[in-house]
Amino acid sequence: MGSTTPNDYESGRDLDSLIQFVEKNTGAKSSKVEPFSYVKNLDSSNFDSIVKSVSDDHVLLVEFYAPWCGHCKHLAPVWEELGRVFSRDSKKVTIAKVDATKAEDLGQRFGIQGFPTIKRLSNTGEELEEYQGGRELEDFVDYVNKHAQTFRTRDGSLNQDAGRIESFDKIAGQYLLATDKASLVKAAEGLEVPSGLDFSSKVYLKTMKSIDEKGKEFLSKETDRLTRILQTGSVSAEQLDNMKIRLNILKQFQSGTNKYNDDDDDH
């Protein structure tokens, strides 16, 4: 029979500390299940392998924290939300965290003096920059978009610039009013497509073909259809992104002109 003498609890107020206290004093072993998280947990055992697995231009943003730190606790839901926002960009962005009270070697390696400390790292494990910006979700989203060349908003959807290609936008802005549409199609087919934007280039060309076959009414009907689907969110995350890109491109045709044409007219 166990002791009936009460023991004062003098350790931390985090879950791990409580579990350790119970296990030590009862002999029982916990079956703790880690909750799902959009934030990658890094420690001394997996840090180097995970860091080295990403591409050279990958944005790896790491929070070094301590479980007892009040500022860290305040940041935790924001950090988790940031991970969710960029969860569709896992090939470009990793949002991670390190418990520096457990991985003391990593804290020393990166010169962590206070908590939380946020650093952008390279895939060689070197520090590129210590984050010095604001601590609101919008601040982090803007920072990641800038360095990863992504186009996320705070709710995880794509913004109005996603998928657009400036050289194709110039042609799209002229297309409805052009008398020689065939020459514009030929010009578009000959344009260089930036890396990662093959889908967008196909949308521009397909839209030109649809306008030729169905008339300009196609633009308003397709815009209304995509807008309704985006509002309901009744498709997969990947489909939502593709539809937003298509909608962004359709709007360049709808305008009849765009900022790029306006800029050209000024010269």
Side-chain angles (χ1 to χ4, degrees):
M1 183 174 178
S3 172
T4 58
T5 303
N7 294 328
D8 291 337
Y9 180 75
E10 298 177 347
S11 189
R13 294 298 190 264
D14 58 285
L15 180 59
D16 287 340
S17 297
L18 290 167
I19 288 175
Q20 290 174 9
F21 177 81
V22 172
E23 289 181 342
K24 178 181 178 181
N25 287 275
T26 66
K29 293 297 180 182
S30 69
S31 56
K32 187 180 81 167
V33 177
E34 292 293 337
F36 172 79
S37 175
Y38 289 105
V39 176
K40 181 78 70 174
N41 272 300
L42 302 180
D43 55 35
S44 302
S45 67
N46 66 7
F47 184 88
D48 287 318
S49 61
I50 290 178
V51 167
K52 292 176 181 178
S53 70
V54 302
S55 61
D56 291 345
D57 57 354
H58 196 93
V59 170
L60 178 59
L61 199 61
V62 182
E63 175 205 4
F64 293 84
Y65 74 98
W68 45 259
C69 165
H71 293 297
C72 300
K73 293 177 182 178
H74 180 76
L75 180 62
V78 177
W79 205 245
E80 180 65 28
E81 185 64 10
L82 183 66
R84 187 197 66 79
V85 167
F86 288 98
S87 60
R88 301 183 205 171
D89 294 305
S90 58
K91 293 183 179 180
K92 293 183 176 182
V93 178
T94 296
I95 306 301
K97 62 182 180 181
V98 173
D99 182 347
T101 66
K102 291 183 176 179
E104 294 182 358
D105 57 321
L106 295 177
Q108 294 174 359
R109 176 173 163 183
F110 291 99
I112 305 303
Q113 301 294 322
F115 304 110
T117 295
I118 299 168
K119 293 180 182 286
R120 182 165 59 90
L121 308 180
S122 72
N123 63 353
T124 62
E126 297 178 355
E127 177 183 337
L128 296 175
E129 181 180 36
E130 182 171 330
Y131 178 80
Q132 300 289 353
R135 299 296 172 92
E136 299 297 326
L137 179 60
E138 292 88 346
D139 301 317
F140 291 119
V141 171
D142 289 345
Y143 179 85
V144 174
N145 279 335
K146 174 184 175 182
H147 290 284
Q149 296 182 8
T150 46
F151 298 89
R152 294 294 167 189
T153 65
R154 62 166 295 156
D155 66 1
S157 63
L158 292 173
N159 67 25
Q160 63 185 6
D161 293 323
R164 291 173 53 191
I165 306 173
E166 181 174 340
S167 55
F168 280 84
D169 275 355
K170 291 180 178 180
I171 293 175
Q174 304 170 37
Y175 200 76
L176 281 183
L177 301 179
T179 55
D180 185 7
K181 289 182 170 59
S183 64
L184 290 178
V185 172
K186 185 176 181 179
E189 291 174 337
L191 291 174
E192 182 177 352
V193 179
S195 176
L197 291 174
D198 289 341
F199 173 77
S200 293
S201 67
K202 292 176 182 178
V203 173
Y204 281 101
L205 293 171
K206 186 176 180 180
T207 301
M208 294 176 194
K209 181 179 180 180
S210 295
I211 292 173
D212 293 343
E213 294 176 349
K214 304 175 182 179
K216 65 180 182 180
E217 293 79 11
F218 161 78
L219 290 175
S220 58
K221 290 180 179 179
E222 184 66 359
T223 296
D224 289 344
R225 185 183 76 86
L226 292 175
T227 300
R228 287 196 301 271
I229 296 174
L230 288 170
Q231 288 174 343
T232 61
S234 56
V235 295
S236 69
E238 182 179 0
Q239 288 175 311
L240 285 173
D241 281 355
N242 288 341
M243 287 182 176
K244 180 61 177 178
I245 289 171
R246 289 167 60 187
L247 187 60
N248 289 345
I249 291 171
L250 286 173
K251 289 181 178 179
Q252 303 314 301
F253 285 90
Q254 279 184 311
S255 64
T257 184
N258 58 48
K259 65 179 182 180
Y260 302 118
N261 298 116
D262 292 340
D263 291 342
D264 291 343
D265 292 342
D266 291 337
H267 297 299

